[in-house]
Amino acid sequence: MALPRLLPRALAPLARGLARPGCGPALQRAASASAPAAPDFNSFVIRTNTCGELRSAHVGQEVTLYGWIQYQRQGLFLVLRDFQGLTQIILPQDEAHSHVKKLLSNAPVESVVRVTGIVSSRPPGQENPKMPTGDIEVKAETAEILNSCKKLPFEIKDFIKKSEALRMQYRYLDLRSFQLQYNLRLRSHIVMRMREYLCNLHGFVDVETPTLFKRTPGGAKEFLVPSREAGKFYCLPQSPQQFKQLLMVGGLDRYFQVARCYRDEGSRPDRQPEFTQIDIEMSFVDQAGIQRLIEGLLQYSWPEERGPIMTPFPSMTYKEALADYGTDKPDTRFGMKIVDISDFLRRLDIQFVQNALSYPHGTVKAICIPQGVEIMEIICRPDGSLKSLLTKFLGEKQQSELIQVLNMQVDDVVLLAAGEHKRVCSALGSLRLESADLLEAAGLVLRDPTAFHFLWVVDFPLFLPKEENPTELESAHHPFTAPHPSDTSLLYSDPTKARSQHYDLVLNGNEVGGGSIRIHSAEQQRFVLEKVLKEDSEVLSHLLEALEFGAPPHGGIALGLDRLISLIVDAPSIRDVIAFPKSFRGRDLMGNAPDYVTPEELEPYHIQVSWPLAERGKENL
């Protein structure tokens, strides 16, 4: 029979030495010098081998395997599975071992068993090249059912479709799949490599910071944790931002942490209320230094099977990203850039165009969609003319000019937008991505799923108008970000025009990291909080006081580990790279959390809860 194609083949690189191409001579020497032997998966345990390691060299050996029954066939053989792979077990057919055959034949799929037997070569023609263990089989001599499995809610196979709610309700079963096993082991390997690079090669100190703290002004909503002091609450930190800055004040020089972070963001797609980031801070560093560090870190820890990544990463300003792609996290794997055609259309007597251009920051922009005739509308005909409502305003010469401006080809489609610059760019940026989805659904490949396009986005605004009250300002990222050196005076004279020393790392259109050079002057930090953001600086009095005691210039960054790993393994959701994720609505469907507590349990926290009786027992996924 043909056994399922296995992912464990991809696990092999995780157990190899640490030498990695593309890391540079110094890193390769350091990796080579410290490269450990392949891990011994059989140390300290009672098995002799894993189910994924037996080969022709083991023929004739007696082995003891432990694992789950993956598949059974007519009392002839079964397939035993563990974390590393599959082994075919031949059931004995002779009378002397009939009890072994009966035991294993009657055991339900996914039961945990021990099998002892002799490794033998498969009969000629029955080898399975798709299995790493496909040249051998184990002839069972003794066996034991360690734990029988009751009827499963779903089959433990990657190709079997399961609802996400069911997968999360039985997450411990879902974790048995080869794909999740691979994702979590690769994640572990990458984090280990990151620790090596930061601590062993560059002297960073791994410091754990508190998870019970206080409210931070601005940013995402924080989870509250009641205390036994009436009316007083802790907050779970949305990041270790303040602590890592205080560590720099404390002279630690360079810090990192695999940090757990918390944000009460409600029902947001593909977000988690608790998540993990690689948190980094350094003293006496500039933006270029942080960028070089991160490029080296990713190059060193990058999985070998994903191919090398090239450094330095390209960079573009926030203004360029918005103008060309309509977003501050552009996917540069494909073209379809936004083109400004304001000057071309300005001289035409088209009322809606003239109205749009008369507004402050008014503009007309377009994107050209290759072979987009199947999905939308200006279309370029084979004769070079245009099919569009706009053509009644355009002469033949002007149509030809527009085709040249937009570099249109036959069957291309152009989408126009006119209005305020930022809104126009944002609308076309969304249409660009939606068009790419539609084209790929129709069979045109635009975004190579095996390509990894990193990009630095820099020179963000320091402040933005609040959506609910545009006359007030909020930090574009957080209130501790320093102004661009060239714009320091604007902080005091016209903060709306000041750029920041913030930088984002983007991968394939996803933000995977963000950081900044921090304000290290107490006077400047107090000005930002009190005068610009109109915040009560007393909430941050501990940080402001610390900055007055000789705080060094410092900066840092945080990489979103969940998002990064999900992109590396091409997972459809970050939930597929987290062992026990929350649902779309932030619930733990396996343990049914959050859950009600009794009034007696709330009493020490001076809290009373009122709710409709109908709410009790309801489960909202």
Side-chain angles (χ1 to χ4, degrees):
M1 64 163 286
L3 290 170
R5 189 163 186 164
L6 300 182
L7 275 173
R9 187 185 301 276
L11 292 173
L14 305 187
R16 293 178 189 158
L18 300 179
R20 177 82 81 249
C23 290
L27 295 189
Q28 287 183 13
R29 283 196 300 273
S32 162
S34 61
D40 181 3
F41 293 119
N42 300 308
S43 54
F44 315 117
V45 294
I46 49 180
R47 64 175 176 244
T48 62
N49 301 88
T50 67
C51 294
E53 70 174 289
L54 296 177
R55 301 291 187 271
S56 296
H58 297 92
V59 168
Q61 293 183 18
E62 182 181 81
V63 296
T64 297
L65 307 179
Y66 288 79
W68 288 262
I69 297 176
Q70 168 94 356
Y71 177 86
Q72 294 166 318
R73 185 173 180 184
Q74 300 173 348
L76 298 175
F77 66 86
L78 60 81
V79 175
L80 197 63
R81 184 195 76 244
D82 67 7
F83 73 94
Q84 202 182 29
L86 307 178
T87 295
Q88 183 166 287
I89 308 295
I90 301 299
L91 304 187
Q93 302 300 315
D94 59 301
E95 187 64 29
H97 294 89
S98 59
H99 63 290
V100 175
K101 177 182 177 181
K102 182 179 179 181
L103 186 75
L104 294 177
S105 297
N106 294 335
V109 169
E110 289 301 311
S111 295
V112 184
V113 302
R114 172 194 61 79
V115 174
T116 298
I118 304 298
V119 181
S120 61
S121 297
R122 293 198 186 190
Q126 294 186 23
E127 300 90 347
N128 187 346
K130 294 181 180 179
M131 287 180 66
T133 61
D135 290 333
I136 61 91
E137 56 195 15
V138 173
K139 294 183 177 178
E141 293 186 338
T142 66
E144 180 184 1
I145 307 298
L146 300 174
N147 209 333
S148 184
C149 180
K150 71 177 187 178
K151 186 178 179 181
L152 293 162
F154 53 79
E155 288 188 73
I156 313 296
K157 293 176 181 175
D158 287 301
F159 57 86
I160 298 293
K161 298 294 183 185
K162 292 92 67 175
S163 73
E164 189 163 54
L166 192 63
R167 290 178 58 201
M168 296 180 71
Q169 183 181 352
Y170 295 96
R171 188 61 168 185
Y172 44 83
L173 295 179
D174 199 32
L175 285 170
R176 294 181 188 177
S177 73
F178 280 129
Q179 185 63 64
L180 282 186
Q181 289 271 324
Y182 173 76
N183 292 353
L184 294 178
R185 290 177 190 281
L186 182 68
R187 177 181 176 130
S188 171
H189 179 75
I190 289 173
V191 170
M192 180 199 72
R193 296 280 299 177
M194 287 181 168
R195 287 185 187 278
E196 287 174 2
Y197 182 84
L198 292 169
C199 293
N200 297 352
L201 298 182
H202 294 286
F204 279 77
V205 183
D206 186 351
V207 180
E208 297 175 9
T209 54
T211 49
L212 292 176
F213 195 43
K214 63 187 295 185
R215 187 182 71 86
T216 300
K221 278 190 174 182
E222 294 162 320
F223 285 101
L224 296 177
V225 179
S227 76
R228 292 175 183 267
E229 294 185 57
K232 291 187 177 181
F233 293 79
Y234 295 106
C235 282
L236 298 182
Q238 50 188 292
S239 81
Q241 181 62 48
Q242 293 183 55
F243 289 113
K244 63 182 182 179
Q245 289 192 240
L246 292 169
L247 287 170
M248 297 304 101
V249 177
L252 226 67
D253 192 70
R254 39 185 67 190
Y255 138 95
F256 105 98
Q257 179 183 187
V258 181
R260 297 293 285 165
C261 304
Y262 308 87
R263 292 181 187 173
D264 188 6
E265 296 185 310
S267 303
R268 297 188 61 177
D270 211 23
R271 292 287 183 98
Q272 288 284 291
E274 50 182 332
F275 55 96
T276 306
Q277 64 187 34
I278 304 297
D279 202 49
I280 292 171
E281 197 80 5
M282 298 174 71
S283 296
F284 311 111
V285 70
D286 59 11
Q287 179 172 309
I290 295 288
Q291 290 174 341
R292 287 196 306 272
L293 168 74
I294 296 304
E295 289 167 359
L297 173 69
L298 288 171
Q299 198 172 48
Y300 186 85
S301 59
W302 195 253
E304 188 176 302
E305 62 269 30
R306 291 297 184 265
I309 53 175
M310 298 297 106
T311 59
F313 300 154
S315 177
M316 72 173 60
T317 66
Y318 168 81
K319 281 187 175 181
E320 290 170 337
L322 190 65
D324 290 347
Y325 297 96
T327 176
D328 59 4
K329 47 186 178 187
D331 189 341
T332 56
R333 288 176 296 173
F334 69 108
M336 289 169 54
K337 285 186 179 182
I338 298 171
V339 180
D340 192 330
I341 55 174
S342 302
D343 291 340
F344 172 78
L345 293 179
R346 196 182 303 276
R347 59 182 186 266
L348 302 181
D349 187 21
I350 305 174
Q351 191 59 46
F352 82 89
V353 170
Q354 297 305 325
N355 287 345
L357 292 175
S358 67
Y359 296 138
H361 310 294
T363 188
V364 183
K365 292 177 179 282
I367 55 172
C368 182
I369 304 168
Q371 302 176 43
V373 67
E374 296 295 330
I375 59 170
M376 302 173 192
E377 258 188 17
I378 304 170
I379 298 171
C380 184
R381 295 191 179 103
D383 63 3
S385 64
L386 299 179
K387 175 188 173 185
S388 169
L389 292 175
L390 193 63
T391 55
K392 66 182 181 181
F393 302 104
L394 302 176
E396 191 173 311
K397 180 182 177 184
Q398 291 164 329
Q399 289 188 35
S400 177
E401 287 178 6
L402 184 59
I403 288 172
Q404 288 183 333
V405 168
L406 296 171
N407 193 25
M408 293 181 69
Q409 307 296 321
V410 174
D411 284 343
D412 285 0
V413 170
V414 169
L415 298 179
L416 294 179
E420 191 273 329
H421 172 78
K422 196 168 183 179
R423 290 188 175 184
V424 165
C425 291
S426 180
L428 287 177
S430 297
L431 286 169
R432 174 178 178 266
L433 294 176
E434 183 66 26
S435 300
D437 289 341
L438 291 169
L439 287 170
E440 291 188 329
L444 181 66
V445 178
L446 290 178
R447 296 167 289 196
D448 181 356
T450 66
F452 296 95
H453 286 214
F454 284 98
L455 172 73
W456 289 108
V457 179
V458 300
D459 291 355
F460 284 83
L462 189 55
F463 306 107
L464 293 172
K466 288 184 177 178
E467 283 190 17
E468 64 276 14
N469 185 359
T471 61
E472 295 182 1
L473 295 178
E474 62 184 359
S475 296
H477 291 93
H478 59 61
F480 314 114
T481 302
H484 192 285
S486 303
D487 294 355
T488 302
S489 61
L490 288 173
L491 173 63
Y492 303 97
S493 61
D494 191 352
T496 60
K497 294 181 179 178
R499 293 168 296 165
S500 71
Q501 291 193 70
H502 180 92
Y503 31 86
D504 274 353
L505 182 61
V506 176
L507 173 58
N508 294 354
N510 296 270
E511 180 189 335
V512 293
S516 65
I517 302 302
R518 324 298 185 188
I519 296 172
H520 66 278
S521 158
E523 181 184 356
Q524 189 177 86
Q525 185 67 79
R526 188 174 280 108
F527 178 85
V528 167
L529 292 168
E530 296 177 355
K531 304 300 183 184
V532 180
L533 300 177
K534 313 299 183 187
E535 293 274 4
D536 179 8
S537 63
E538 188 60 30
V539 178
L540 292 168
S541 59
H542 57 284
L543 178 62
L544 290 168
E545 185 177 22
L547 295 180
E548 293 175 333
F549 287 104
H554 57 282
I557 192 169
L559 298 178
L561 184 63
D562 308 312
R563 178 81 54 206
L564 178 64
I565 302 298
S566 71
L567 292 170
I568 290 173
V569 301
D570 195 26
S573 164
I574 61 171
R575 289 185 281 275
D576 289 320
V577 299
I578 300 171
F580 297 100
K582 302 293 187 291
S583 73
F584 170 70
R585 297 190 183 277
R587 291 187 57 82
D588 181 338
L589 303 183
M590 182 180 64
N592 194 32
D595 202 357
Y596 294 105
V597 296
T598 65
E600 292 76 22
E601 289 172 298
L602 288 174
E603 190 175 351
Y605 303 106
H606 314 282
I607 293 176
Q608 289 182 325
V609 178
S610 300
W611 55 70
L613 289 176
E615 287 297 310
R616 280 192 176 276
K618 277 189 177 180
E619 288 187 8
N620 296 316
L621 304 185

